[in-house]
Structure formats: C-alpha cells, structure tokens
Amino acid sequence: MGGVSDSTTGLPFLKGHGTQNDFVIIPDPEGRLDLGPATVAALCDRRAGIGGDGLLRVVRSAADPAAAELADRAEWFMDYRNADGSIAEMCGNGVRVFARYLVEAGLAKPGPLAVATRAGVRQVRIAEDAADGTPGEITVDMGRALVPGPEGVEVAVGDRRWPALNVNMGNPHAVAFVASLDDAGELAEAPATSPEGVYPQGVNVEFVVDRGPRHVAMRVHERGSGETLSCGTGACAVAVAAARRDGADPTATGESVRYTVDVLGGRLVIEVFPDGRVEKTGPAVIVASGTLDPSWLSGLSG
C-alpha cells in the first residue's frame, strides 16, 4: 500500500456516529493507504485532528490481506482502529456507521449487507428511510457471544471492587453491575481487572444499572479510547450478562430475550437468541464530509 496520501489534493474523509460513538471514516476502496498508528491517533485527536472514538477505513475485502479470505462472503472490509491507533477486532456501533456510509455513497442499498471485520463477517440489515427522511435503523448480527471464564473476574475503580462477567463479542468485555453509574468514577483511566493476565490484550469494561424490566443503562471504558458515549459490542455483552443474572439466558431457557440498553449517547435494542447469537439495532448518521489538508497530512509520521 502507498502512504497516507498519494496526491497533493488531500485525503477525503467523513465523520459519523452511532448513538454518539463517533468515527472518522476514510474511504480507501482499493487499499492504497497505509494508515499507521500515529496517523490514526492524529486523525482521531479532538483538538488537533478531526476527532473520533475510532477510525473506519472502508476497503474492499479483496484489496486487504487482513480480509482477503472473506472476499467471497463480503465485498467490504471494515478496517477498524481505536482512537490511539491500535487495531481492534470489532466495533458494533462502527459497523452501523460503516453500513450507513456504504448506502449514502451508493456502494450498497437498504436491505441485507455483509461486512467483513477482523472478528469475521457480520450480517447487517439496513431499514429504508422514514417518509420524513429520517435514516432507517440498522440491525447487526453480532455473532455468538462467548462466556469463556474464568470465574471470579473483578473490576476495580480506586479502592472499590465489583464481580464481573467475562463476555467475548469478538472483543473482550468485563461487565459489572453496580448501584449507581457514578460508581465508575471519571473513567479517565482503564479500570483495574483481576486476576492478573485474564485480559492480556486489554478489555472493555461496562458498569451497569437497572432501569426497569429488561431495561438497563451502562457506562463504558473502551480499551484504547477511554470512556465513550456508546459501545455496541459492550451493549451486547451487557445484555448477555443481564440475561444470565436474570435467569433468562436463552442458551439455557431456549427462548430469545430482548433488552433495551441505554448508553450515554442514546438507546440500543439487543436481542439474544438460544444459539448464543446476538443482534443489535440502533441508529447511524453521517454528519460531515471533507478533505484533509495535504500539508497537514505530510507532517504526520506514520
């Protein structure tokens, strides 16, 4: 692949969000860009760059070695990076924003869509826009949730500790139920987890309170991004954990269950099925597009 920009005309970008989990979108259909960690971090910087919780590089699966083996199942690959430039396996809100971009760019149509990710192919359903032009909601098949153990996982903020459930949605989560969302503190730093070594690649940590029957609210610290206003895979992990706690685990009862999950940036609806599969439904919006200044780009160092 080439450098950050192959011309003096700058680099096209867009900005979008899903329940205020926001992303820089870089179209790169032929896989010509080499976006190193420092470049991604600069683009996601909220003061010196565009600003975002992460970056979505839009590339054809066949054009990227990370997704070439998935090209026969999904034309488009979501190359997702955290705000610090690190690579992540999956981003639930990002998939919806990615799908919204493809529709608005004329690269996909409302209806079913397959998207390749580092966690595998995700099946997406894009609803038609409402009569008033409101973009239709997007449902993502998030794959099967895994609860790999071990027992006895804990998360801590300061000197306070809570038991947590280890849930994997293609990326790792530690879900803790607390009395108040304020218990999580400022979440400026990643909460501590134990036992040591259970999350060697880091972990997303969710703090959860009840709002009503099958209705919860959460805050989240996303590894590599800090506290965000929404985390799609986190909302799925929360629904899985809540169902287990409530005695409604579909893998045990044989009946699907649906939870409403309030995030700081809006609301998501999560459905968990008896085979462990999880679907997530919510909004996604493209808010701006533009071109990055080539002189600024040339000053970036990888």
Side-chain angles (χ1 to χ4, degrees):
M1 292 188 293
V4 175
S5 178
D6 293 326
S7 73
T8 59
T9 59
L11 181 69
F13 75 92
L14 299 94
K15 179 74 179 284
H17 76 91
T19 51
Q20 298 187 46
N21 194 187
D22 62 334
F23 307 95
V24 179
I25 305 163
I26 301 295
D28 182 26
E30 305 309 321
R32 294 172 178 165
L33 300 178
D34 184 7
L35 298 179
T39 297
V40 172
L43 290 168
C44 292
D45 190 299
R46 296 194 179 279
R47 291 179 173 84
I50 300 168
D53 292 325
L55 181 143
L56 309 174
R57 175 172 157 264
V58 184
V59 58
R60 284 190 169 87
S61 299
D64 193 298
E69 64 180 14
L70 303 176
D72 60 339
R73 298 168 54 197
E75 180 181 3
W76 295 100
F77 170 51
M78 183 183 77
D79 176 13
Y80 178 66
R81 317 291 181 90
N82 294 314
D84 65 357
S86 59
I87 290 173
E89 303 92 340
M90 175 60 183
C91 177
N93 288 320
V95 172
R96 296 201 319 279
V97 174
F98 187 92
R100 174 68 63 210
Y101 164 75
L102 290 177
V103 170
E104 294 200 1
L107 300 172
K109 296 179 180 180
L113 173 70
V115 175
T117 76
R118 288 186 174 85
V121 174
R122 293 293 181 257
Q123 300 297 328
V124 177
R125 297 194 307 275
I126 307 163
E128 296 279 357
D129 292 350
D132 64 1
T134 301
E137 291 199 323
I138 298 176
T139 298
V140 182
D141 184 334
M142 300 291 289
R144 287 178 171 82
L146 301 177
V147 184
E151 299 292 335
V153 171
E154 290 187 331
V155 302
V157 175
D159 58 0
R160 303 191 66 182
R161 307 184 71 85
W162 299 269
L165 185 68
N166 181 10
V167 181
N168 193 290
M169 289 300 310
N171 56 1
H173 296 267
V175 182
F177 292 91
V178 296
S180 168
L181 291 180
D182 292 337
D183 290 346
E186 295 183 0
L187 284 184
E189 302 294 333
T193 59
S194 61
E196 184 176 354
V198 68
Y199 297 113
Q201 305 300 322
V203 63
N204 306 288
V205 180
E206 288 81 26
F207 296 87
V208 188
V209 297
D210 290 301
R211 291 285 189 245
R214 304 288 191 265
H215 185 185
V216 297
M218 61 175 268
R219 288 177 63 195
V220 59
H221 184 283
E222 291 194 60
R223 58 175 181 170
S225 296
E227 182 173 19
T228 62
L229 296 179
S230 181
C231 175
T233 55
C236 293
V238 163
V240 169
R244 285 200 165 212
R245 180 202 60 171
D246 296 342
D249 178 5
T251 64
T253 67
E255 297 182 1
S256 62
V257 64
R258 181 176 296 177
Y259 278 82
T260 297
V261 181
D262 292 342
V263 295
L264 296 182
R267 176 169 288 178
L268 297 166
V269 176
I270 312 298
E271 188 162 5
V272 188
F273 296 89
D275 63 357
R277 191 169 50 84
V278 183
E279 285 190 349
K280 173 180 59 64
T281 300
V285 181
I286 305 298
V287 299
S289 63
T291 305
L292 291 159
D293 184 85
S295 62
W296 182 78
L297 284 172
S298 67
L300 301 179
S301 57

